[in-house]
Amino acid sequence: MKKLFLVAAFVLSSVASFAQQAAGTFTLQPKVGLNVASMTELDGSDPRIGLAVGAEGQYQFSDLVGVSFGLLYSQQGATGEFNFMGIDADQTMKLDYINVPILANVYLYKGLAVKLGIQPAFKVNSSVKTTVNGHSESVDLDGVKGFDFSIPVGLSYEFSNVVFDARYNFGCTKTFEKADSRHSVFQFTVGYKFAL
């Protein structure tokens, strides 16, 4: 029993030292990656692959827990194909936002963190691009709300200040004024973390 207690104490004390940054430090992390974005309640649509770029700052409260705040430009929306009077067309719904993720980061193992938080977002673009026989035209998309809110959950792994991050953003608010669709976004980024 004493050996089991010593092993458990060793494991717990080791876990406390696995966070990459020391308690009381602040780091900045520029990052870039891609989104695989889609819309709920939008039958027949496919994901839109888009860019995610920005930066996050993190304050390390303890060896195990940090809180981060970020600004990310995020290309979201959906794509789809339709046939109108025998003519095939491709459409891309371009819904772009400035996302503001606020996350708790709990370090479980050397550089491995679980993330959970909130993410308000502000629309910067809403348009639809239609392509028919190689000819494309974009028009503004009306009825898109200017504010969005989601709950991001994810994992990140840090190795020598390079951070690989994978998140899923659960859309909580309706994207359109007259429809029930919400954002559904998988986001994959890589960043470089440095202390300030």
Side-chain angles (χ1 to χ4, degrees), residues 171-188:
C172 296
T173 55
K174 295 179 182 178
T175 305
F176 305 101
E177 293 173 2
K178 297 182 179 179
D180 289 335
S181 269
R182 301 165 197 265
H183 288 287
S184 174
V185 182
F186 288 97
Q187 186 175 84
F188 306 94

Side-chain angles (χ1 to χ4, degrees), residues 103-123:
L103 300 165
N105 304 298
V106 179
Y107 289 85
L108 303 177
Y109 187 70
K110 295 179 183 179
L112 179 66
V114 175
K115 300 172 175 281
L116 175 65
I118 59 172
Q119 180 173 274
F122 304 91
K123 181 186 73 173

Side-chain angles (χ1 to χ4, degrees), residues 35 37-39 48 51-54 71-78 93-101 119-127 141 143-150 169 173-176 181-185 187:
N35 292 332
S38 59
M39 303 293 299
R48 177 190 181 200
L51 178 70
V53 62
L71 288 174
L72 298 173
Y73 174 74
S74 180
Q75 294 179 330
Q76 299 170 198
M93 185 188 316
K94 297 181 175 183
L95 303 176
D96 302 337
Y97 294 85
I98 297 296
N99 290 342
V100 185
Q119 180 173 274
F122 304 91
K123 181 186 73 173
V124 293
N125 176 54
S126 59
S127 62
L141 183 60
V144 179
K145 294 182 177 181
F147 178 79
D148 186 71
F149 186 84
S150 61
N169 298 323
T173 55
K174 295 179 182 178
T175 305
F176 305 101
S181 269
R182 301 165 197 265
H183 288 287
S184 174
V185 182
Q187 186 175 84

Side-chain angles (χ1 to χ4, degrees), residues 18-52:
F18 286 162
Q20 295 294 337
Q21 303 298 324
T25 60
F26 185 81
T27 56
L28 184 64
Q29 179 194 157
K31 60 195 312 185
V32 65
L34 63 86
N35 292 332
V36 180
S38 59
M39 303 293 299
T40 65
E41 309 296 326
L42 197 59
D43 294 336
S45 67
D46 294 315
R48 177 190 181 200
I49 308 300
L51 178 70

Side-chain angles (χ1 to χ4, degrees), residues 10 34 62 92 193:
F10 174 75
L34 63 86
S62 71
T92 301
K193 183 186 280 189

